[in-house]
Amino acid sequence: MSDPEQDQHRAWEEGGPERLYVITSGRQVPERHSSLDMVTLIVSRNEPGPGMQPELAAIVRICGYPLSVAELSAYLHLPVSVITVLLTDLLASGHVEARASALTQSLPDVELLEAVMHGLQNL
Amino acid sequence: MDYRISEPVVGPRREDTLPASVTTAVKVVIVGGFGVGKTTLVGSVSEIRPLTTEEIMTQAGAGVDDIAGVERKNETTVAMDFGRITLSDELVLYVFGTPGQQRFWFLWNGLFEGALGAVVLIDTRRLEDSFDVMGRLEERGVPFIVAINAFPDAPTYPASELRQALDIPDGVPVIDCDARERVSSRDGLLTLMRYLHALTTTNPERR
Ligand SMILES: Nc1nc2c(ncn2[C@@H]2O[C@H](COP(=O)(O)OP(=O)(O)OP(=O)(O)O)[C@@H](O)[C@H]2O)c(=O)[nH]1
Ligand SMILES: [Mg+2]
């Protein structure tokens, strides 16, 4: 049960600390992010570059249509904070763009709520 | 080695892609005790098969003893189900269902920030579970409504009695719900939106 090699292997497979460290090139996964929310929509601007890190290329490839940070986390089996680190690179290099949502103000705006209600009523 | 990413990438199925025109995403959170029907509700309103996202929680100081046994004493991974509803060509709603048994979901950074609000699901057989959940929302200033998920063998109480027993603030809507029914779950979300709308229009200084 507690074969250390097996445990380590399992931690890696499940996205344990070692694997995440490698994916983010050892950068500290930040505690809190300023601009990227779980529902910030990400869209690619071009094709993955040659020799791009596989996780970065994967993001660029599947964001041909908008996908939220949460969906990226789900499809790539990586924690949201790791996705956020990867996206920081991709945003800086211009491979993807973020459609920042109209969230994070204190109270939602009335027009936004009305649009949500209207959409729900039509389901 | 991990080859998952090197294999052909698993992304959304064609029919699960959002229109390219979508510009705005909003989110709501479904909370409640263990087994109250959070995942069921997410699944019944979602247009996509519910997905699972995860986050690493770091717990410093108090409470570390509680998660002894994990490899890194102060780190744990929390998983959360979510679904999606495309509301218009521009607007999409994400619905997150918190895990019932994992104890640190409320530390998830960014879960409540920017959320429109929350639906608290209640099973009347286990009312005590809901205190903690509502307390967490109040702490964070997240507006919520209460939905009583109707399990067949669950005791029924008049709404006023429940309100008193659970100390639900006046004005917070309390509704009945069947999380398995799409329309009923949708109506729960609508009740939340109407409540938020009322809060916003009557008291714009709140929060
Ligand atoms: N009768 C009835 N059963 C329900 C309802 N909602 C959920 N269930 C059942 O209750 C069980 C638990 O539902 P889940 O949706 O998994 O509950 P959950 O809150 O996600 O559970 P955890 O994530 O483990 O806390 C499932 O077997 C559901 O089919 C409901 O409205 N009525
Ligand atoms: Mg669940």
Side-chain angles (χ1 to χ4, degrees):
Chain A
M1 182 65 214
S2 58
D3 172 1
E5 209 167 297
Q6 184 119 20
D7 283 354
Q8 204 178 343
H9 184 70
R10 193 175 326 116
W12 179 269
E13 290 259 282
E14 291 171 0
E18 296 82 0
R19 176 167 172 253
L20 302 181
Y21 184 84
V22 174
I23 292 172
T24 60
S25 313
R27 270 167 301 159
Q28 191 60 42
V29 173
E31 282 274 295
R32 184 176 285 266
H33 310 292
S34 46
S35 61
L36 292 172
D37 184 87
M38 289 215 288
V39 300
T40 301
L41 297 172
I42 306 297
V43 195
S44 314
R45 280 186 168 157
N46 46 38
E47 301 290 308
M52 192 182 252
Q53 185 186 335
E55 291 79 13
L56 295 176
I59 293 176
V60 174
R61 213 172 295 127
I62 68 176
C63 286
Y65 287 90
L67 277 183
S68 62
V69 171
E71 280 164 304
L72 286 172
S73 156
Y75 287 125
L76 300 185
H77 304 285
L78 289 170
V80 169
S81 48
V82 171
I83 293 290
T84 306
V85 171
L86 298 175
L87 285 173
T88 307
D89 282 1
L90 290 171
L91 287 164
S93 64
H95 281 94
V96 301
E97 64 181 51
R99 299 187 179 168
S101 30
L103 309 169
T104 58
Q105 310 127 4
S106 45
L107 263 183
D109 116 352
V110 176
E111 275 173 38
L112 181 63
L113 287 172
E114 284 168 357
V116 174
M117 286 191 274
H118 187 252
L120 285 172
Q121 263 150 357
N122 289 342
L123 279 192
Chain B
M1 283 297 284
D2 186 347
Y3 290 109
R4 251 181 316 196
I5 302 293
S6 329
E7 282 165 9
V9 171
V10 194
R13 297 177 306 170
R14 180 85 205 140
E15 60 269 37
D16 288 346
T17 54
L18 282 173
S21 54
V22 170
T23 53
T24 306
V26 292
K27 65 181 172 189
V28 299
V29 186
I30 313 299
V31 298
F34 173 62
V36 291
K38 301 175 295 288
T39 300
T40 305
L41 191 149
V42 167
S44 72
V45 290
S46 180
E47 68 198 10
I48 56 171
R49 185 176 45 84
L51 296 169
T52 305
T53 179
E54 61 183 49
E55 186 56 301
I56 307 163
M57 304 288 146
T58 312
Q59 168 82 326
V64 168
D65 289 351
D66 291 335
I67 50 169
V70 296
E71 290 200 12
R72 295 255 186 113
K73 274 218 179 68
N74 58 348
E75 274 192 356
T76 185
T77 301
V78 172
M80 197 153 355
D81 302 320
F82 69 101
R84 197 186 73 195
I85 307 170
T86 304
L87 297 171
S88 75
D89 290 344
E90 288 97 40
L91 182 62
V92 61
L93 170 66
Y94 287 90
V95 182
F96 290 88
T98 59
Q101 232 170 8
Q102 288 169 297
R103 307 178 51 193
F104 300 104
W105 57 268
F106 55 87
L107 296 174
W108 186 307
N109 277 326
L111 174 62
F112 291 116
E113 285 91 347
L116 295 177
V119 174
V120 177
L121 270 186
I122 286 184
D123 176 348
T124 54
R125 295 167 302 183
R126 276 173 298 182
L127 285 180
E128 63 284 358
D129 290 357
S130 21
F131 281 110
D132 182 49
V133 163
M134 286 193 281
R136 304 256 176 234
L137 295 175
E138 278 164 4
E139 258 166 49
R140 282 167 177 72
V142 179
F144 62 88
I145 66 143
V146 175
I148 299 156
N149 210 8
F151 288 90
D153 52 339
T156 57
Y157 302 100
S160 59
E161 217 171 286
L162 265 183
R163 213 175 253 290
Q164 211 171 13
L166 292 176
D167 202 15
I168 300 171
D170 286 347
V172 170
V174 178
I175 57 165
D176 289 314
C177 174
D178 186 329
R180 298 164 302 178
E181 297 289 333
R182 182 174 154 90
V183 170
S184 180
S185 299
R186 190 275 310 259
D187 288 347
L189 296 177
L190 262 176
T191 303
L192 173 64
M193 296 308 147
R194 292 201 186 97
Y195 174 58
L196 295 172
H197 191 271
L199 284 181
T200 309
T201 49
T202 57
N203 194 358
E205 301 301 315
R206 232 187 58 96
R207 273 224 258 176

